[in-house]
Amino acid sequence: MSRYIPLTERDREEMLKEMGISSIEDLFSSIPEELKFKGKLNISPIKDERALVDYFRNIDAQNRFADKKIFLGAGAYNHYIPYAVDYISMRSEYLTPYTPYQPEVSQGNLTAAFEYQTYISALTGLEVANVSMYEGATATAEAALMALRVKKGKIAVARSLNPQYKEVMETYLRKQGIDIVEIGYNRDGRINIREVEEKIDNNTTGFIVGYPNFFGVIEELETVYENIKDKKVLLITSTWEPLSLAILKSPGDSGAEIAAGETQSFGLPLAYGGPYLGFFATTKKYMWKMPGRLVGMTKDIEGKEGFVLTLSAREQHIRRQRATSNICSNEAWCTVRVAIYLSLLGRKGLRKLALLNHKRAVRAASMLEDKGFKLKFNGPFFNEFVVDVGTDGEKFRDALLSGGIVAGYPLGKEFPELSNSLLLTFTEMNSLSDIDALVKGMEASK
Amino acid sequence: MKLIFELSKEGKEGFFVREEAGEVRIPSDLMRGEIKELPEVSEREVVSHYLKLSIMNYSEDWGIYPLGSCTMKYNPKVNELVASIFTDAHPLLPEELVQGNLRIFRELEEVLKEITGLDAFTLAPSAGAHGEFTGITTIRNYLESKGERREIVLIPDSAHGTNPASSTLAGYRAVEIPSGPDGMIDLEKFKEALNQKVAALMITNPNTLGIFERDIKKIAELLHSKGALLYMDGANMNALLGKVKVADFGVDVMHLNLHKTFSTPHGGGGPGSGPVGAVKEVAPFLPGPRLIGEEGRLHWEKGGDRIRSFFGNFLVLVKALAYIRELGGEGLKEAAELAVLNANYLRAKLSKKFKMSYSTPTLHEFVLSEESFRDKTSTLDIAKRLLDYGFHPPTIYFPLIVHGALMIEPTETESKESLDDFAGALLRIVEEAKKEPKLLHSAPHNTPIRRLDEVGAARNPILRWQKS
């Protein structure tokens, strides 16, 4: 008997007796005999807890990255997670409830979600944030779908958007028969405004821009906005390094009406790609067109303030095929972690951390420039930048692996025009001596 | 209770961040000042705040959580420890450095294939509804590869709302098929609706009434004869583990919910994971990236349409694999059997006072109708009164085809005593409804907060904190 099942043999017999049934198998009589599986599943048990843990430790032993100096970002960022985030979020009360359909016994999650919404609203400079999408790519795709509910037409996407996000958007939009036009980038790594003027017209619904973009470059959103606003095109930003929003002008203050992206940087481990947490914010004007769950403040029958899931008439469990999205389970627990993380970092800490990340990247860039490397783009960056290594980027990166260095992300596969370039990322986790080692290694491989 | 923002006081710090000399290369017109909404609080206060919030939550670890079709079973603690081993890999590391992680994917794919009899799985979908979208998109790409542009997905009226929503998102029109008097798909109505425009039928089996769709194989054959596919929503797979292989039903594509059937914690609404399996013919159209190669040389290849960044909710996959490895095949079967035993035991106890929505036998869950109490009280009032007794209520008002439904799924991880207590409370509440209906109407009385004004919340939405 499994240790998770609190029913003795005797319990089972008593229960069957009370029901007037002779065997458990009788309870499966509604399944036609010819559909029953008569064999045994070929999965052997590991009942001993220590053996189970060892089994997985042995699998982990096949991983070989622990001693490497890693300069990867490109949509997932290695930031320190204060232990208090783990300690509190791992409580049963946060980890093991269902979606808060009974608000009277879910005020913990609902209050934390309301705080999370407030944090995302503040960071994006937009009034309404939902309680989460799956991750940054689906959040961005759903932003495009939402734009199509505001206005019919085609979607414009910056070539410098995260390429995985572009792929997901194509999956989501192509099924709806929506055209996607791509807007290129300039030598500074920023949106090519002439292409914006040429390709974005009155039949365009929204323009999706990475902020910062996939090259780490910070767009001049206001310039973009000035060029599309008269055509009634929604400016949509997608951000996968949200720490940047601690020091950058907010999307909302720069003309964006939808801001979507990834929140992994705020207290979620890298975890080989998930679970992460997609954020989604817009203006109050469009809140009924939003996907996902929203938490609102209200009062109970005694006048006490409390929180509930609200504006549910947008959602699949009520509107079915006419819902604004099919999303049901999202990443609620991750929002609790983000709320705790941002509360700990706070007004001063988050800003300091963002500046620390930026300064480390600037330091690395200067050192590389001193050694004769050229940055591919001269636009300002946050904590990652593209460097031209003068030879095939992937081969260059692989050459550094034997020295224990993972020198960023080769761009050639997704951007053939940048096949000689690497995207290098720097966070507070990359020490100054690690940066020295990277520069040295790169110089030696040049 | 105060919000974290209301605890803020200038000068407090919850985390030390080093200040480093160095150059800032961002022009000042692209930068913002301090974000005033962010609080300044100490770690001590943050921990205290979120601790106080947490104790206002009911949780699966606390006690029975009998939400129908949600499979709120116990979440084994060791799986959290196992997951904590795997938190550190960046998803873009060269594959040669992460062979261990890739082996987790491979092993989980293999055991899910064994459990379902299907030929291939993708572990990318982030939740059940994401799996549905993925599965229907896979079907669409498969059909289109054969030059078939179909328009319709058929969905029984007892289905979860995500089914029609996911079909719409995948570019199809959802058409509803009514259930018959026995709670199963009305076979005649299904035949009438089936034509060359139909891409697939989405079936939940057992369905949301807990009833096994007896005709599923026939349904599959009818679909196949018209070139359409059978999609199975695996939300209720907990009833079938080790008892059937769904491939034998004629299922072409299905999703599983690891956060239901395979014990990963629900987290108050995610993270989940919704792997999608397919038969051989359809498998090439599963989303990418696809895992290829032998152990030790595993790597990702492009595959079909991408449905999210990276590869899936990896830590959820780790926990589910740990659960499956611990229980083994026989343990999984035992879980299904005892889930069905517990549900039927509870059903028998409650049948004394409550009317069942359908008299048809049920597996892991069942649905009570409001018929036996409607003149005295409402489903909502009964649910709220259960809170006073310290229990989480069942799913209410779903499935939509049962008026005032109470949908109950106890799972295998409840003791007989727990079931007796829960049944006892429900039976007592029915008595209270006769004698003191007001007591129910004003419930709950003992919770951290009383019944909330949901209409007011939607009419005047307050969706963020603002300094007054």
Side-chain angles (χ1 to χ4, degrees):
Chain A
M1 183 171 75
S2 153
R3 58 173 162 163
Y4 307 129
I5 294 178
L7 294 163
T8 64
E9 288 300 332
R10 187 145 170 211
D11 286 336
R12 301 173 199 194
E13 280 161 28
E14 279 175 22
M15 290 161 80
L16 287 170
K17 202 171 153 197
E18 216 175 303
M19 294 154 65
I21 285 170
S22 59
S23 81
I24 289 179
E25 201 50 43
D26 291 354
L27 296 171
F28 287 87
S29 59
S30 60
I31 303 179
E33 274 307 306
E34 72 271 20
L35 295 185
K36 282 186 183 167
F37 171 60
K38 303 281 164 47
K40 284 186 177 179
L41 291 178
N42 184 21
I43 305 169
S44 53
I46 310 176
K47 289 186 178 171
D48 175 9
E49 177 165 326
R50 191 174 154 194
L52 184 73
V53 175
D54 282 348
Y55 181 84
F56 283 93
R57 285 200 201 285
N58 284 334
I59 293 179
D60 181 51
Q62 295 180 0
N63 288 326
R64 308 219 188 281
F65 59 87
D67 59 345
K68 302 284 185 285
K69 297 174 173 56
I70 298 166
F71 300 89
L72 276 170
Y77 298 86
N78 187 21
H79 293 294
Y80 185 80
I81 301 173
Y83 187 63
V85 174
D86 281 326
Y87 189 87
I88 292 294
S89 69
M90 290 299 291
R91 288 180 61 88
S92 297
E93 297 92 331
Y94 286 125
L95 196 57
T96 76
Y98 198 73
T99 302
Y101 289 139
Q102 298 291 339
E104 296 88 347
V105 290
S106 311
Q107 284 302 300
N109 272 347
L110 287 162
T111 309
F114 185 81
E115 293 177 347
Y116 166 85
Q117 289 177 179
T118 304
Y119 278 124
I120 297 300
S121 163
L123 285 161
T124 57
L126 289 162
E127 294 157 303
V128 185
N130 74 14
V131 193
S132 82
M133 308 304 290
Y134 302 131
E135 42 69 74
T138 55
T140 305
E142 292 247 24
L145 292 174
M146 179 180 144
L148 291 160
R149 290 191 286 274
V150 174
K151 177 185 169 185
K152 294 252 176 288
K154 64 186 182 219
I155 292 283
V157 176
R159 180 161 175 76
S160 53
L161 186 70
N162 185 322
Q164 294 198 357
Y165 290 22
K166 270 191 281 180
E167 284 179 45
V168 173
M169 188 163 326
E170 277 164 24
T171 304
Y172 274 68
L173 296 190
R174 220 185 300 135
K175 302 300 159 216
Q176 308 275 331
I178 306 299
D179 286 335
I180 303 175
V181 292
E182 190 172 89
I183 308 294
Y185 55 85
N186 284 328
R187 280 196 189 155
D188 62 0
R190 286 171 164 159
I191 302 281
N192 183 328
I193 294 295
R194 200 199 296 166
E195 277 191 44
V196 170
E197 288 166 355
E198 284 168 12
K199 290 187 184 168
I200 295 184
D201 56 22
N202 289 317
N203 294 323
T204 312
T205 298
F207 181 26
I208 302 175
V209 177
Y211 184 64
N213 68 27
F214 198 64
F215 312 133
V217 173
I218 302 161
E219 297 287 354
E220 282 178 320
L221 288 180
E222 274 164 283
T223 312
V224 177
Y225 175 67
E226 288 305 319
N227 277 279
I228 62 172
K229 66 173 183 190
D230 293 339
K231 296 169 187 167
K232 302 259 181 287
V233 178
L234 290 174
L235 178 59
I236 300 166
T237 57
S238 178
T239 300
W240 44 92
E241 174 43 302
L243 182 60
S244 66
L245 298 180
I247 56 170
L248 297 185
K249 205 164 176 190
S250 77
D253 282 347
S254 315
E257 289 186 88
I258 307 174
E262 175 57 61
T263 326
Q264 175 267 328
S265 283
F266 295 153
L268 299 172
L270 287 167
Y272 201 56
Y276 289 177
L277 163 58
F279 74 82
F280 196 106
T282 186
T283 59
K284 199 157 188 175
K285 182 166 80 169
Y286 294 131
M287 67 185 173
W288 279 100
K289 302 200 183 288
M290 282 180 92
R293 305 217 190 267
L294 287 165
V295 170
M297 187 188 267
T298 186
K299 291 197 161 89
D300 77 356
I301 51 172
E302 292 173 352
K304 201 168 157 188
E305 273 177 1
F307 300 91
V308 290
L309 291 173
T310 193
L311 307 191
S312 310
R314 300 164 296 116
E315 291 186 65
Q316 48 74 28
H317 60 281
I318 295 178
R319 193 146 295 175
R320 297 176 79 85
Q321 61 265 35
R322 284 178 295 280
T324 56
S325 170
N326 69 332
I327 196 165
C328 183
S329 287
N330 43 88
E331 310 293 313
W333 180 69
C334 303
T335 67
V336 175
R337 289 181 67 97
V338 169
I340 299 171
Y341 178 88
L342 291 174
S343 301
L344 287 168
L345 270 287
R347 192 182 303 169
K348 296 263 179 348
L350 198 69
R351 190 177 174 80
K352 277 198 258 179
L353 186 67
L355 286 169
L356 179 60
N357 273 249
H358 174 66
K359 285 174 181 174
R360 292 236 167 128
V362 169
R363 181 191 172 94
S366 305
M367 289 168 73
L368 287 168
E369 283 168 332
D370 286 349
K371 302 291 180 197
F373 285 97
K374 280 214 166 65
L375 300 202
K376 190 75 196 174
F377 305 111
N378 58 15
F381 56 82
F382 173 60
N383 67 352
E384 49 193 344
F385 56 81
V386 177
V387 62
D388 189 335
V389 293
T391 177
D392 182 79
E394 191 161 347
K395 283 190 186 133
F396 188 87
R397 189 222 30 202
D398 288 347
L400 268 79
L401 275 182
S402 56
I405 291 169
V406 181
Y409 182 70
L411 291 166
K413 256 186 204 140
E414 286 133 338
F415 300 91
E417 70 275 24
L418 300 174
S419 61
N420 287 356
S421 294
L422 291 171
L423 177 67
L424 289 171
T425 305
F426 303 85
T427 75
E428 75 279 12
M429 305 295 269
N430 300 110
S431 69
L432 300 182
S433 63
D434 287 357
I435 295 172
D436 290 346
L438 170 74
V439 174
K440 220 177 194 177
M442 286 180 66
E443 193 191 8
S445 299
K446 206 175 163 186
Chain B
M1 220 185 113
K2 280 185 176 163
L3 295 171
I4 193 77
F5 312 105
E6 296 167 305
L7 302 174
S8 179
K9 199 167 174 186
E10 206 175 321
K12 287 185 186 178
E13 266 187 350
F15 188 71
F16 168 78
V17 181
R18 175 194 305 275
E19 283 185 76
E20 209 164 79
E23 187 192 345
V24 174
R25 279 198 198 171
I26 306 169
S28 58
D29 63 329
L30 293 180
M31 292 180 73
R32 77 201 293 179
E34 272 187 8
I35 305 175
K36 291 195 182 59
E37 290 92 335
L38 301 190
E40 292 177 82
V41 268
S42 65
E43 176 176 318
R44 194 264 176 277
E45 289 159 300
V46 172
V47 168
S48 172
H49 176 71
Y50 287 101
L51 176 68
K52 283 173 189 148
L53 287 186
S54 76
I55 61 172
M56 295 196 281
N57 283 346
Y58 190 93
S59 65
E60 164 55 36
D61 280 354
W62 183 264
I64 188 170
Y65 214 130
L67 289 172
S69 279
C70 299
T71 314
M72 290 295 283
K73 61 168 76 177
Y74 175 71
N75 315 129
K77 298 308 154 214
V78 66
N79 297 350
E80 300 302 321
L81 171 65
V82 170
S84 74
I85 300 170
F86 293 93
T87 52
D88 295 343
H90 192 286
L92 296 173
L93 280 170
E95 288 131 333
E96 61 190 272
L97 302 181
V98 290
Q99 286 298 309
N101 289 354
L102 298 184
R103 194 176 131 191
I104 296 275
F105 282 86
R106 172 55 61 83
E107 282 198 17
L108 187 57
E109 285 177 9
E110 292 300 317
V111 291
L112 296 182
K113 281 156 67 178
E114 171 68 9
I115 289 165
T116 58
L118 293 167
D119 297 313
F121 265 88
T122 171
L123 307 177
S126 319
H130 202 207
E132 293 169 19
F133 170 71
T134 302
I136 297 296
T137 297
T138 301
I139 287 173
R140 185 176 171 133
N141 289 343
Y142 163 74
L143 289 171
E144 286 181 1
S145 78
K146 303 203 304 179
E148 300 243 15
R149 297 192 69 88
R150 298 186 172 217
E151 294 161 32
I152 292 167
V153 171
L154 302 177
I155 297 168
D157 56 5
S158 59
H160 197 265
T162 51
N163 285 186
S166 300
S167 302
T168 306
L169 189 59
Y172 285 115
R173 187 156 57 85
V175 172
E176 198 169 273
I177 304 293
S179 303
D182 52 5
M184 296 181 224
I185 291 181
D186 186 322
L187 207 55
E188 291 312 310
K189 294 274 165 55
F190 163 67
K191 284 180 193 163
E192 282 167 29
L194 181 60
N195 57 43
Q196 305 285 353
K197 286 183 181 169
V198 173
L201 167 78
M202 291 182 95
I203 195 168
T204 307
N205 199 18
N207 64 27
T208 59
L209 299 161
I211 297 169
F212 189 86
E213 294 280 0
R214 187 185 48 213
D215 295 321
I216 187 161
K217 193 158 187 197
K218 193 163 186 190
I219 288 169
E221 285 162 5
L222 287 165
L223 285 162
H224 294 157
S225 73
K226 291 277 194 282
L229 302 189
L230 179 59
Y231 181 94
M232 183 164 137
D233 179 328
N236 292 337
M237 190 66 192
N238 204 42
L240 302 179
L241 294 171
K243 305 296 288 182
V244 301
K245 291 214 181 191
V246 300
D248 296 339
F249 303 170
V251 168
D252 298 293
V253 179
M254 85 174 298
H255 82 265
L256 294 164
N257 298 67
L258 300 186
H259 49 293
K260 296 180 179 178
T261 313
F262 299 101
S263 88
T264 71
H266 207 283
S273 175
V276 171
V279 293
K280 202 177 272 168
E281 215 184 343
V282 184
F285 300 90
L286 288 171
R290 303 283 303 141
L291 190 62
I292 307 289
E294 302 288 311
E295 197 182 317
R297 284 191 298 277
L298 293 164
H299 60 276
W300 296 107
E301 277 185 10
K302 197 167 178 348
D305 291 348
R306 181 181 273 284
I307 50 111
R308 59 161 291 165
S309 58
F310 308 122
F311 319 107
N313 279 347
F314 177 59
L315 295 184
V316 180
L317 307 179
V318 174
K319 293 179 204 182
L321 182 62
Y323 177 75
I324 293 167
R325 280 270 174 260
E326 176 173 348
L327 265 63
E330 289 299 289
L332 293 172
K333 188 167 128 189
E334 184 188 41
E337 289 178 344
L338 296 178
V340 171
L341 174 67
N342 273 357
N344 277 279
Y345 176 72
L346 203 51
R347 174 179 168 161
K349 286 212 150 220
L350 293 173
S351 296
K352 290 169 197 157
K353 296 275 174 166
F354 288 92
K355 190 161 178 338
M356 291 298 138
S357 54
Y358 293 87
S359 59
T360 315
T362 47
L363 291 170
H364 69 299
E365 66 186 0
F366 57 95
V367 180
L368 307 177
S369 94
E370 65 179 1
E371 224 171 288
S372 53
F373 55 78
R374 149 172 76 196
D375 53 332
K376 298 172 206 85
T377 188
S378 69
T379 294
L380 183 68
D381 287 356
I382 288 179
K384 295 303 181 195
R385 185 63 181 151
L386 265 172
L387 295 171
D388 281 336
Y389 281 89
F391 295 107
H392 197 283
T395 299
I396 53 173
Y397 300 106
F398 186 84
L400 305 175
I401 54 172
V402 179
H403 288 290
L406 281 154
M407 183 196 198
I408 303 177
E409 180 184 8
T411 83
E412 72 279 12
T413 59
E414 291 309 312
S415 66
K416 180 171 177 293
E417 293 75 19
S418 163
L419 300 174
D420 289 341
D421 290 348
F422 178 72
L426 262 177
L427 295 170
R428 225 171 115 186
I429 289 169
V430 181
E431 290 305 309
E432 287 177 348
K434 280 185 212 154
K435 290 173 197 148
E436 247 185 303
K438 269 191 195 150
L439 195 61
L440 274 67
H441 196 61
S442 56
H445 306 88
N446 309 331
T447 46
I449 201 151
R450 303 281 304 278
R451 221 179 273 205
L452 286 145
D453 179 8
E454 301 193 19
V455 174
R459 198 166 288 163
N460 175 32
I462 305 169
L463 305 171
R464 61 173 168 163
W465 176 82
Q466 281 177 295
K467 201 167 186 171
S468 49

